[in-house]
């Protein structure tokens, strides 16, 4: 297994700036997630690491060795594609054996058999080995394509939204399996997703990309608790963060068109700001300092989302269990003062 | 299998009515019968000339020319034997003498009722062989070149790609016969006149334009992800092409092969103009059978039969690939 370093990678497709001066470092044995909306440049980053695309500028190195000039085959990485890309003219067994049989490795057949069998057992697809790939379900296909990556011991695993084509139930179980597999193998894994839950649950560290720019790198807790920009704040967390336009002055923040006024904890800000409040930090209770009226409640079983109106602003709060609030009823709430996110000009965090 | 079972909703009540559209009532059933009958009728009408030709090839000469035509006759190989041999008409005495002999070969026996004896081989065997060599080689060459260039056009950023493709297609816009004279003169100069090589080159270049376009459609259909996967799995581009792309393009390659072969095999005008003895193919030879002493209908029919067989063989050998669907992959369109 290897560490990966990207330095100042730039890639354009025609007029489109797919990646703009991206620098990243992925540690050996780390589960690293690239998170971002569609078109952020996540897949391009993976393809550049695999050698399927050439960057216009910048350096890619594995273990300190620059690999820019190496062909994909010589980089010794494994790629799990979003579309699975199982070779349709081969059986599951041959698909799994394909990387081992490559002219580069020329693994002897007994070892191929042993490795394929082991990988198939690990992924519980042993009963499918003789099957043609076209006759598999989505979950089975994805297991096979993961199997094709783990039969050899590549330096890096690259996974491009491998779970996004699966139904919710299957996605959850494969998520756990993948994480487990990664931890037991100790493999360096780069995982691309647009699903923040996948990112938060699986990653050791997350890099957030948007429109070719790297917005933030950090642990899931970092990203959630200290989003660097409004884009990151909105991308991570369900229900979404409350973003309210506000005025900052004298260490106080006054939310526009409402009675919400909170102290600015640390940092400097004045003038126009955006105040971010996670829904769980809007705490409903009779002793609350602020007052609002209930617009709507959404019951999710384990918790309930309460949509509030406070002056001219709308807020979402999340409370445990069922909430006994009727529409248009008046509620009191508090805001956790130490968990506020204040974003200044350009949506950059200031506190 | 477990995952598939889990996805199907539990059936609480047994389904007692058929939901199949074709089992709704008598009407669709009758309609499908009518369609079937019409299809069979059309097939018969289409096949009559072929059946007629097949029958004529096995008829003795009087039956072949009789009016009204005979449907029942004693089959003979006279047509085929005269196709591949040169014969001499026997005088009455010679004929009597031949009848007495017991050391005749089967071919001579076949020709005895016609009062003819075999004096040598005809050109037709060699012309048929020429056809096989020329059509076969040009088909193989055009398919190989076309697969490679179609792959390049489909996968790489070729400078001036659209113009090149249009240029390739435009080769087909001119009626081929228009260029026969210039080609004839060039071939005379280059020493390609009446050579198998000349004909192979000519047919290859004719087939290429069409073959490139046809194959490009098929290769475009093969998702690039397969090759990306193979590249990452430790294969070079060429190895990925051979191991992944070619097996999947088989349907397209088969179709292109059949079309190219049929064109090269049937081509008449250039073969007539650009060959004489050495490289003459079968198509311009068959009409020449007409010439010698009366119209030898059964020989002509036999020639047409012999001419038809290779095309049938090629098409039949590739039928499985021709019929199979194009996209048969395990890529999910997400």
């Amino acid at each position: 297994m290897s560490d990966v370093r990207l330095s100042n990678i730039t890639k354009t497709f025609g007029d489109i700036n797919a990646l703009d001066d991206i620098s990243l470092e992925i540690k050996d044995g780390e589960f690293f997630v690239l998170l971002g909306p569609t078109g952020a440049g996540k897949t391009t980053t993976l393809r550049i690491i695999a050698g399927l695309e050439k960057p216009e500028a910048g350096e890619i190195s594995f273990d300190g060795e620059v690999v820019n000039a190496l062909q994909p085959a010589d980089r010794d990485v494994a790629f799990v594609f979003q579309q699975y890309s199982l070779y349709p003219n081969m059986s599951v067994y041959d698909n799994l054996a394909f990387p081992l049989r490559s002219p580069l490795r020329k693994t002897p057949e007994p070892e191929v058999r042993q490795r394929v069998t082991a990988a198939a057992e690990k992924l519980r697809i042993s009963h499918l080995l003789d099957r043609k790939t076209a006759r598999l379900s989505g979950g089975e296909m994805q297991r096979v394509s993961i199997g094709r990556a783990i039969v050899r011991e590549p330096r890096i695993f690259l996974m491009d939204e491998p779970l996004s084509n699966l139904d919710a139930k299957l996605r959850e179980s494969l998520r756990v399996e993948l994480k487990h597999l990664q931890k037991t193998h100790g493999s360096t894994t780069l995982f691309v997703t647009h699903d923040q839950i996948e990112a938060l649950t699986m990653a050791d560290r997350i890099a957030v990309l948007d429109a070719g720019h790297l917005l933030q790198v950090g642990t899931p807790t970092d990203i959630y608790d200290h989003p660097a920009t409004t884009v990151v704040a909105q991308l991570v967390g369900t229900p979404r963060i409350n973003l309210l336009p506000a005025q900052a002055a004298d260490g106080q923040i006054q939310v526009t068109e409402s009675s919400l006024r909170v102290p600015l904890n640390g940092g400097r800000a004045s003038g126009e700001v955006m105040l971010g409040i996670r829904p769980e930090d809007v705490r409903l209770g009779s002793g609350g300092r602020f007052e609002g009226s209930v617009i709507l409640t959404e019951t999710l079983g384990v918790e309930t989302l309460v949509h509030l109106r406070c002056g001219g602003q709308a807020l979402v709060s999340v409370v445990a269990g069922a909430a006994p609030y009727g529409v248009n009823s008046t509620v009191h709430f508090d805001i956790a003062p130490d968990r506020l996110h204040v974003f200044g000009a350009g949506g950059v965090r200031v506190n | 299998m477990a995952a598939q079972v889990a996805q199907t909703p539990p059936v609480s009540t047994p389904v007692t009515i058929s939901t199949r559209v074709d089992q709704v009532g008598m009407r669709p059933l009758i309609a499908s019968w009518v369609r079937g009958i019409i299809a069979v009728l059309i097939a018969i009408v289409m096949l009559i000339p072929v059946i007629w030709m097949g029958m004529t090839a096995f008829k003795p000469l009087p039956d072949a020319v009789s009016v009204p035509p005979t449907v029942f006759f004693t089959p003979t190989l006279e047509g085929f034997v005269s196709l591949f041999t040169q014969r001499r008409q026997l005088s009455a005495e010679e004929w009597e003498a031949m009848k007495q002999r017991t050391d005749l070969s089967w071919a001579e026996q076949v020709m005895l009722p016609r009062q003819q004896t075999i004096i040598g081989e005809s050109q037709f065997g060699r012309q048929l062989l020429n056809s096989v060599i020329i059509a076969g080689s040009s088909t193989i060459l055009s398919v190989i070149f076309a697969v490679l260039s179609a792959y390049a056009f489909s996968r790489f950023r070729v400078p001036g790609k659209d113009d090149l493709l249009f240029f390739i297609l435009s080769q087909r816009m001119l009626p081929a016969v228009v260029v026969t004279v210039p080609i004839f003169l060039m071939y005379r100069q280059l020493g390609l006149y009446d050579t198998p090589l000349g004909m192979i080159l000519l047919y290859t270049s004719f087939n290429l334009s069409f073959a490139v376009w046809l194959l490009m459609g098929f290769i475009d259909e093969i998702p690039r992800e397969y090759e990306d996967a193979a590249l990452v799995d430790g294969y070079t581009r060429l190895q990925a092409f051979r191991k992944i792309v070619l097996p999947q393009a088989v349907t397209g390659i088969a179709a292109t092969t059949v079309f190219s072969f049929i064109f090269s095999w049937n081509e008449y005008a250039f073969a007539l103009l650009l060959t004489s003895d050495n490289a003459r193919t079968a198509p311009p030879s068959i009409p020449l059978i007409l010439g010698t002493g009366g119209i030898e209908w059964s020989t002509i029919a036999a020639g047409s039969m012999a001419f038809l067989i290779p095309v049938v063989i090629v098409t039949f050998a590739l039928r499985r690939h021709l019929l199979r669907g194009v996209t048969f992959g395990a890529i999910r369109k997400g």
Side-chain angles (χ1 to χ4, degrees):
Chain A
M1 288 297 145
S2 307
D3 59 61
V4 182
R5 181 197 290 270
L6 301 181
S7 337
N8 311 100
I9 299 288
T10 298
K11 173 79 189 169
T12 54
F13 292 111
D15 298 335
I16 302 152
N17 228 356
L19 291 178
D20 188 12
D21 198 26
I22 300 287
S23 296
L24 269 182
E25 199 173 332
I26 298 133
K27 295 179 197 127
D28 190 1
E30 193 173 32
F31 199 114
F32 195 93
V33 171
L34 287 176
L35 175 68
T38 313
K42 303 166 304 217
T43 301
T44 310
T45 311
L46 276 203
R47 291 176 65 87
I48 283 177
I49 295 173
L52 295 170
E53 304 280 354
K54 298 248 175 287
E56 263 88 59
E59 245 178 31
I60 310 130
S61 46
F62 298 172
D63 289 327
E65 170 206 357
V66 178
V67 296
N68 279 40
L70 291 186
Q71 288 298 310
D74 302 318
R75 295 195 185 190
D76 195 18
V77 299
F79 206 124
V80 178
F81 292 86
Q82 184 179 6
Q83 263 79 31
Y84 316 152
S85 303
L86 302 181
Y87 309 121
N89 49 326
M90 299 181 194
S91 67
V92 170
Y93 181 91
D94 290 331
N95 260 280
L96 293 178
F98 194 72
L100 299 172
R101 287 174 178 159
S102 86
L104 213 69
R105 275 174 273 274
K106 290 214 180 87
T107 319
E109 276 308 306
E111 197 192 329
V112 170
R113 175 155 294 277
Q114 180 224 319
R115 286 225 218 166
V116 169
T117 321
E121 253 163 48
K122 215 173 281 174
L123 292 163
R124 290 183 276 117
I125 47 171
S126 304
H127 59 295
L128 302 172
L129 286 176
D130 298 328
R131 201 88 67 84
K132 281 272 179 197
T133 54
R135 305 189 51 196
L136 300 175
S137 71
E140 291 166 337
M141 282 192 198
Q142 195 49 279
R143 276 165 207 272
V144 175
S145 89
I146 293 166
R148 201 169 59 188
I150 65 168
V151 280
R152 57 198 171 100
E153 265 120 47
R155 300 171 81 167
I156 302 136
F157 284 104
L158 305 171
M159 303 197 177
D160 187 7
E161 310 218 14
L163 308 180
S164 66
N165 285 338
L166 305 175
D167 60 77
K169 225 158 114 193
L170 211 53
R171 200 180 309 164
E172 250 166 65
S173 66
L174 261 176
R175 203 158 72 199
V176 176
E177 276 178 53
L178 261 183
K179 178 79 185 166
H180 177 71
L181 208 65
Q182 192 267 337
K183 281 299 156 220
T184 51
H185 273 235
S187 49
T188 312
T189 304
L190 210 73
F191 187 100
V192 157
T193 183
H194 64 264
D195 180 347
Q196 48 105 15
I197 294 180
E198 262 174 38
L200 292 175
T201 52
M202 299 172 87
D204 293 327
R205 283 198 302 150
I206 299 173
V208 184
L209 282 173
D210 185 43
H213 296 277
L214 186 59
L215 299 182
Q216 189 174 7
V217 183
T219 63
T221 329
D222 275 346
I223 304 266
Y224 189 80
D225 289 342
H226 303 282
T229 71
T230 48
V231 175
V232 178
Q234 283 177 298
L235 204 61
V236 177
T238 36
R240 274 188 172 206
I241 195 166
N242 297 297
L243 274 182
L244 309 170
Q247 292 286 332
D250 311 324
Q252 292 285 313
I253 299 169
Q254 173 68 49
V255 175
T256 314
E257 287 179 36
S258 88
S259 58
L260 289 178
R261 189 177 176 84
V262 289
L264 169 63
N265 282 329
R268 287 165 176 281
S270 61
E272 301 269 327
V273 293
M274 289 299 270
L275 178 65
I277 312 164
R278 294 271 179 211
E280 64 270 26
D281 298 331
V282 178
R283 291 166 188 166
L284 298 190
S286 49
R289 289 196 294 134
F290 308 111
E291 206 181 86
S293 63
V294 176
I295 308 169
L296 163 78
T297 60
E298 293 178 80
T299 309
L300 303 175
V302 64
E303 56 193 23
T304 303
L305 309 184
V306 182
H307 296 257
L308 303 173
R309 183 178 302 285
C310 180
Q313 300 294 344
L315 280 177
V316 181
S317 168
V318 56
V319 296
Y325 306 109
V327 172
N328 287 332
S329 62
T330 305
V331 287
H332 290 271
F333 61 95
D334 251 328
I335 291 168
D338 52 334
R339 294 184 51 85
L340 296 175
H341 312 279
V342 185
F343 303 97
V348 178
R349 187 184 188 88
V350 293
N351 68 326
Chain B
M1 276 320 277
Q4 284 178 343
V5 171
Q7 280 166 22
T8 51
V11 179
S12 49
T13 48
V15 177
T16 49
I17 47 152
S18 171
T19 52
R20 282 185 56 175
V21 180
D22 57 343
Q23 287 182 357
V24 173
M26 274 308 281
R27 265 214 185 151
L29 207 65
I30 292 170
S32 84
W33 268 96
V34 169
R35 273 202 300 275
I37 290 167
I38 291 172
V40 168
L41 284 176
I42 291 172
I44 289 173
V45 171
M46 297 295 222
L47 282 172
I48 280 177
V50 182
I51 296 166
W52 195 255
M53 185 186 77
M55 282 166 67
T56 310
F58 291 100
K59 278 180 183 173
L61 198 54
D63 284 330
V65 294
S66 70
V67 181
T70 49
V71 178
F72 301 100
F73 57 91
T74 330
T76 162
L77 285 171
E78 274 174 34
F80 287 93
V81 171
S82 41
L83 181 67
F84 288 100
T85 56
Q86 291 188 313
R87 299 155 313 277
R88 180 173 64 82
Q89 208 64 31
L90 296 169
S91 65
E93 300 88 60
E94 282 175 319
W95 194 27
E96 281 308 314
M98 282 284 275
K99 278 181 182 170
Q100 304 307 316
R101 280 169 59 181
T102 51
D103 58 338
L104 292 177
S105 68
W106 72 267
E108 285 173 314
Q109 277 169 3
V110 167
M111 294 315 292
L112 212 52
R114 288 238 194 144
Q115 208 181 330
Q116 287 178 343
T117 187
I118 293 161
I119 54 166
E121 229 177 281
S122 77
Q123 293 286 311
F124 195 75
R126 223 191 65 183
Q127 288 156 346
L128 211 55
L129 186 68
N130 273 341
S131 267
V132 171
I133 291 169
I134 290 168
S137 313
S138 70
T139 301
I140 291 166
L141 282 178
S142 32
V143 170
I144 289 173
F145 290 144
V147 168
L148 292 174
S149 48
Y151 179 75
F153 277 124
S154 167
R155 292 295 193 262
F156 303 125
R157 245 171 282 163
V158 181
K161 172 178 163 174
D162 292 343
D163 297 329
L164 277 172
L165 279 172
F166 179 77
F167 173 74
I168 290 172
L169 185 68
S170 69
Q171 302 301 302
R172 275 273 151 152
M173 293 179 182
L174 188 79
V177 195
V178 174
V179 292
T180 41
V181 173
I183 286 181
F184 174 77
L185 295 172
M186 283 198 291
Y187 267 40
R188 284 289 280 269
Q189 284 290 315
L190 293 167
L192 287 171
Y193 174 78
D194 198 24
T195 60
L197 179 67
M199 297 313 287
I200 291 169
L201 288 178
L202 191 73
Y203 291 165
T204 304
S205 54
F206 269 121
N207 278 329
L208 257 180
S209 64
F210 157 78
V212 168
W213 273 83
L214 190 66
L215 273 168
M216 203 172 63
F218 282 99
I219 290 177
D220 277 343
E221 292 268 306
I222 304 170
R224 286 155 187 251
E225 282 94 341
Y226 292 135
E227 289 151 81
D228 287 343
L231 288 179
V232 173
D233 281 345
Y235 292 79
T236 63
R237 168 117 355 227
L238 207 64
Q239 288 159 347
F241 171 74
R242 199 168 58 82
K243 293 229 169 201
I244 305 297
V245 178
L246 278 189
Q248 291 198 70
V250 158
T251 314
I253 292 171
T256 315
T257 306
V258 168
F259 282 121
S260 300
F261 187 79
I262 289 174
F263 170 82
S264 309
W265 186 256
N266 287 347
E267 206 287 324
Y268 179 83
F270 282 97
L272 186 67
L273 273 154
L274 297 178
T275 62
S276 55
D277 292 325
N278 183 33
R280 172 126 308 179
T281 55
S285 316
I286 294 174
L288 296 182
I289 302 168
L290 283 173
T292 48
I295 301 169
E296 298 256 11
W297 283 117
S298 47
T299 314
I300 291 169
S304 306
M305 279 284 282
F307 182 66
L308 203 71
I309 286 163
V311 179
V312 174
I313 290 172
V314 169
T315 314
F316 195 73
L318 297 175
R319 77 196 182 286
R320 199 167 58 87
H321 301 299
L322 287 174
L323 291 175
R324 230 177 58 174
V326 187
T327 44
F328 201 57
I331 281 211
R332 277 228 174 164
K333 298 269 152 71

